Amino acid sequence: MCADATTRTTLDKAADENFPVAPFFLPRAWRADLMAVYGYARLVDDIGDGDLAPGGADARHLGVTPRPAVAGSAEERLVLLDAFEADLLRVFDSVPAHPLLRALQPTVRRRSLTPEPFLGLIEANRQDQRVRRYETYDDLVAYCELSANPVGRLVLAVTNSASPERVRRSDAVCTALQIVEHLQDVAEDLGRDRIYLPAQDMRRFRVTEADLARPTAGASVRALIAHEAQRARDLLDEGAPLVGSVHGRLRLLLAGFVAGGLAALDAIADAGHDVLPGPPRPGRPRLLRQVASVLRRARREG
């Protein structure tokens, strides 16, 4: 696979997200920079999830020699994450080897981005190799601070719109979006021996891991999912004033993020909070209705 094809395979996954990554209505420079950031975040997650072919193009770009004895293991993923981190740091002082990082370098320079949010995403994926269960909701939120919040902070930096209050609101939205994704992917995550539902809440609702492995959810699992969904909805409500704090096309972009989470939560509710057969996903009409609703709220609050 050539470098261009490697990059395209990763970027094509943007269409599957709950929120618009770099929609057409944004200025071209913003779109290019947001796609560069997305490509980085997507590839880090692919490494952490073990979705890359062992010894494939990404490993070759990073100079990682395949080891059959550890192929597909957490050890292999940690080696790739270490190599990716080393290549990331070259973005800031030399020339990286991976094509997605070379594509990221002009964005970093143009927007004066710092390494911290990028490093946070790598650390979240390292944590995924070592931590497969979360005892409390606060533990899960701390994970989201690494796995999700850096993305929102990068969006604010790319669009030159960061402020302490906007960062706080953005963190709430991003944590909510991460929780929503976890709710949609309960079955898929369990297949990777990961559970992002707080163990404390599972005990409260009398849900066992065996319950999560069933083809459809029983009443206890549905009640647990509804509880976590409400937490995500409350976070989106907390973060929604971010939309009204900006103007123009940026307002529409941020409305899309909030609306994407709300529409996904509506889809989960419409499924009776049964997420085990597969991820409930909203259709385009529902997403557009939520965008309109979020924008109406922004006008009232702006």
Side-chain angles (χ1 to χ4, degrees), residues 203-256:
R203 290 193 296 270
R204 173 186 169 189
F205 286 91
R206 295 182 173 82
V207 171
T208 67
E209 293 191 15
D211 293 328
L212 300 180
R214 292 176 178 168
T216 60
S220 295
V221 172
R222 292 171 188 249
L224 171 62
I225 297 301
H227 175 70
E228 306 302 341
Q230 185 59 52
R231 281 176 154 166
R233 196 176 291 274
D234 290 344
L235 282 169
L236 287 171
D237 187 62
E238 178 186 342
L242 172 67
V243 178
S245 75
V246 300
H247 301 280
R249 286 177 281 188
L250 179 57
R251 175 176 286 192
L252 187 55
L253 174 68
L254 298 184

Side-chain angles (χ1 to χ4, degrees), residues 43-52 59 62 64-65 67 70-87 121-132 194:
L43 183 56
V44 174
D45 281 353
D46 286 348
I47 294 172
D49 289 341
D51 288 343
L52 303 181
L62 297 172
V64 174
T65 303
R67 296 168 55 198
V70 299
S73 68
E75 180 182 345
E76 179 188 56
R77 294 193 285 273
L78 285 168
V79 168
L80 281 169
L81 288 168
D82 287 347
F84 195 61
E85 179 177 273
D87 207 29
L121 295 173
I122 292 176
E123 190 56 36
N125 280 275
R126 283 201 184 99
Q127 186 167 315
D128 277 334
Q129 313 315 311
R130 301 176 177 128
V131 180
R132 298 183 178 274
R194 297 176 186 167

